Amino acid sequence: MSLFDASPMAQTAARARTAPLAERMRPRSLDEYVGQEHLLGPGKPLRLQIENDDAASMIFWGPPGVGKTTLAKIIAQVTEASFIEFSAVLSGIKEIKQVMVEAEKASGFGSRTILFVDEIHRFNKAQQDAFLPYVERGTIRLIGATTENPSFEIIAALLSRCRVYTLRPLEESQIVTLLQRALADEERGLGKLHLTADDDALAAMAAYASGDARNGLNALEVAAKLAEAREEQTITTALAAEALQQRVLLYDKKGEQHYDIISALHKSVRNSDADASLYWLGRMLEAGEDPMYVARRIVRMASEDIGLAAPEALNLCLSARDAMHFLGRPEGDLALAQAIVYLALAPKSNAIYTAYGAVREDIEKTAAESVPLHLRNAPTKLMKELDYGRDYQYAHDLEGRVADMDCLPPSLADRRYYQPTNEGREKLLAQRMQEIARIKAAKRELKS
């Protein structure tokens, strides 16, 4: 008899047996749930909300594999609510609206519905707006899961009606606990295989998981199949390494990790920490980030944080960009590493960054200031008659190559934007600026 000829109950049981280990071992109660003690420990906010049967909607924000879906299912079980699961990737708002209408009818008979929307950030503003009336009336209890920062991805109106809980990556010790449980569980796990695992093997799989329980359990399942095929009773470190092949770094090139790690790289450079700078650079490149994106950001660092304290840094970074473009990966990685270490160890100055920011601010405040007449070009007779270029002083013909002449609009006269530091080459520039000021002051005295 085929699976399709079996009864619905038999089909469900068969699917449970063939489901991935991570799915079979999904916790069924809060007692089985591992991690998130900051939310679920005694007296903690989410634990109290569940125990008090508080029907407020909520958003779970956290990386993959930390238990967002599992937690929503447990809440539905504890609160005796109907559980409807949608994925924003696979389902449209049309299907969800239909479910919400049916839930509204059911609520009239005292039935409660939890609508769980995975990757809720993938719905646009108009689609998220559709949830509002049902959430406000209490027709449904919305639980959304997202790997993206809700502040940026969830509309304010919906966010204000939900409690946001931040779920953390699981610790390696917690993932080891889950792996040991899966090895011992005869009903849902691998217990019937009577396998054991070396501590180092479990630690390797937990480290591989990068805080994602699903990754760890998938790795254990592969290792168990290898052991079973070879009639071995112990998952050794060597067997675990074979199952893992290559560690997959947790990194989303368009999401939170992308911005967090580039931020860590930039701030490590700014703090002159060459080792941390190299580490974060490696995290981005080894996880598959576009190396030209990294190169562009490194060029930006050269101007923003080093500036004229070490003006050669910009050329070095541009050369590193060209080397990466010419060589590609992995050969070009060293060029970026060379640039990043130089930036980290170079003298630091944000004087150019600060100066240009002040310029932009003044431009916004003062609108379009007219160019002073003495600085205007006068290629025609009419322009000369209108005093264009009058009183202009050609610096090369003057002593010290400096004219006592205002070059800013009158409303910004004597405004100082660039304030050089005493770091690196800027110390010499600061001395040059002082010299220019003395020359101008001396010429003013002669005029008076």
Side-chain angles (χ1 to χ4, degrees):
M1 182 177 70
S2 72
L3 175 61
F4 299 103
D5 297 326
S7 66
M9 185 175 294
Q11 290 180 32
T12 300
R15 280 194 294 269
R17 288 193 298 271
T18 58
L21 178 64
E23 181 62 30
R24 302 199 308 268
M25 291 302 300
R26 190 184 292 275
R28 296 168 295 188
S29 67
L30 285 177
D31 292 333
E32 289 186 4
Y33 195 88
V34 174
Q36 315 310 327
E37 285 85 356
H38 64 295
L39 298 177
L40 295 170
K44 297 300 182 179
L46 184 52
R47 166 77 72 167
L48 291 175
Q49 184 174 352
I50 296 172
E51 291 176 345
N52 295 334
D53 199 8
D54 186 336
S57 293
M58 60 187 80
I59 301 291
F60 292 152
W61 173 31
V66 296
K68 298 186 290 292
T69 303
T70 297
L71 198 49
K73 289 182 176 181
I74 291 173
I75 291 172
Q77 177 186 334
V78 172
T79 58
E80 298 181 347
S82 300
F83 184 81
I84 301 174
E85 182 176 357
F86 276 97
S87 169
V89 177
L90 303 176
S91 307
I93 199 67
K94 180 180 178 182
E95 294 91 339
I96 292 183
K97 276 186 175 181
Q98 183 178 349
V99 167
M100 289 190 287
V101 170
E102 293 173 357
E104 192 164 31
K105 293 178 182 177
S107 67
F109 297 97
S111 177
R112 296 190 295 178
T113 301
I114 287 180
L115 177 63
F116 176 73
V117 181
D118 195 18
E119 299 194 77
I120 190 172
H121 60 274
R122 292 185 181 269
F123 282 134
N124 61 34
K125 180 181 183 300
Q127 291 171 323
Q128 292 182 33
D129 276 334
F131 292 115
L132 288 175
Y134 300 95
V135 170
E136 287 179 336
R137 291 198 296 269
T139 301
I140 60 166
R141 184 180 186 183
L142 175 67
I143 300 181
T146 177
T147 56
E148 304 296 327
N149 191 327
S151 301
F152 303 134
E153 304 295 339
I154 309 298
I155 61 172
L158 185 59
L159 201 59
S160 67
R161 290 162 175 80
C162 298
R163 296 175 188 170
V164 177
Y165 293 110
T166 303
L167 279 67
R168 300 170 181 169
L170 298 183
E171 297 174 5
E172 290 184 12
S173 61
Q174 294 170 332
I175 294 178
V176 168
T177 298
L178 293 173
L179 299 181
Q180 291 171 334
R181 181 184 295 173
L183 278 172
D185 193 312
E186 295 188 5
E187 177 190 351
R188 297 178 292 156
L190 305 170
K192 292 181 180 179
L193 298 178
H194 304 293
L195 291 172
T196 59
D198 292 342
D199 290 344
D200 288 345
L202 293 177
M205 287 184 279
Y208 158 87
S210 293
D212 184 330
R214 191 182 300 109
N215 281 345
L217 289 166
N218 288 344
L220 178 64
E221 188 169 25
V222 173
K225 288 179 179 177
L226 288 174
E228 186 180 16
R230 299 172 187 178
E231 298 183 349
E232 298 178 9
Q233 291 301 306
T234 301
I235 297 175
T236 63
T237 304
L239 192 63
E242 189 177 346
L244 297 176
Q245 294 296 312
Q246 182 178 1
R247 180 173 181 174
V248 179
L249 294 173
L250 177 62
Y251 188 76
D252 179 355
K253 289 192 283 185
K254 295 184 179 179
E256 188 83 9
Q257 283 282 317
H258 167 83
Y259 296 108
D260 284 349
I261 293 182
I262 192 60
S263 174
L265 173 60
H266 198 154
K267 289 170 182 172
S268 298
V269 166
R270 184 178 293 151
N271 200 45
S272 300
D273 192 328
D275 296 313
S277 301
L278 273 176
Y279 172 77
W280 293 119
L281 173 69
R283 278 284 298 272
M284 297 192 83
L285 294 177
E286 297 304 319
E289 179 58 79
D290 177 6
M292 296 309 292
Y293 166 78
V294 181
R296 289 192 295 272
R297 290 301 298 258
I298 289 175
V299 170
R300 164 66 187 247
M301 294 174 204
S303 295
E304 180 176 339
D305 291 291
I306 285 73
L308 291 173
E312 68 278 4
L314 181 57
N315 286 334
L316 177 64
C317 292
L318 289 170
S319 296
R321 178 208 61 183
D322 292 343
M324 175 58 81
H325 183 70
F326 178 65
L327 293 172
R329 294 204 63 222
E331 290 85 354
D333 293 357
L334 288 180
L336 295 185
Q338 178 180 341
I340 210 72
V341 169
Y342 187 87
L343 293 183
L345 299 180
K348 302 295 187 295
S349 171
N350 69 341
I352 291 294
Y353 177 77
T354 302
Y356 194 69
V359 167
R360 294 180 63 181
E361 186 177 343
D362 276 352
I363 289 171
E364 290 179 6
K365 289 180 179 177
T366 58
E369 290 280 358
S370 298
V371 176
L373 287 173
H374 63 275
L375 294 180
R376 298 188 192 186
N377 196 25
T380 69
K381 182 180 178 181
L382 175 61
M383 289 178 172
K384 290 178 181 178
E385 291 174 351
L386 294 173
D387 288 338
Y388 279 36
R390 183 180 179 182
D391 297 328
Y392 170 68
Q393 301 176 57
Y394 187 57
H396 289 287
D397 291 340
L398 303 174
E399 184 180 353
R401 302 295 191 270
V402 176
D404 178 25
M405 177 176 63
D406 291 327
C407 295
L408 280 168
S411 65
L412 296 172
D414 299 324
R415 183 80 161 90
R416 283 285 302 276
Y417 295 111
Y418 179 52
Q419 303 281 354
T421 67
N422 284 321
E423 298 296 322
R425 304 277 184 83
E426 270 198 331
K427 186 174 183 178
L428 298 176
L429 297 178
Q431 293 172 357
R432 173 60 180 158
M433 290 182 72
Q434 291 170 3
E435 181 184 359
I436 292 170
R438 284 195 297 269
I439 293 172
K440 286 186 175 181
K443 291 185 176 182
R444 288 195 192 103
E445 285 182 14
L446 287 174
K447 285 181 180 179
S448 60

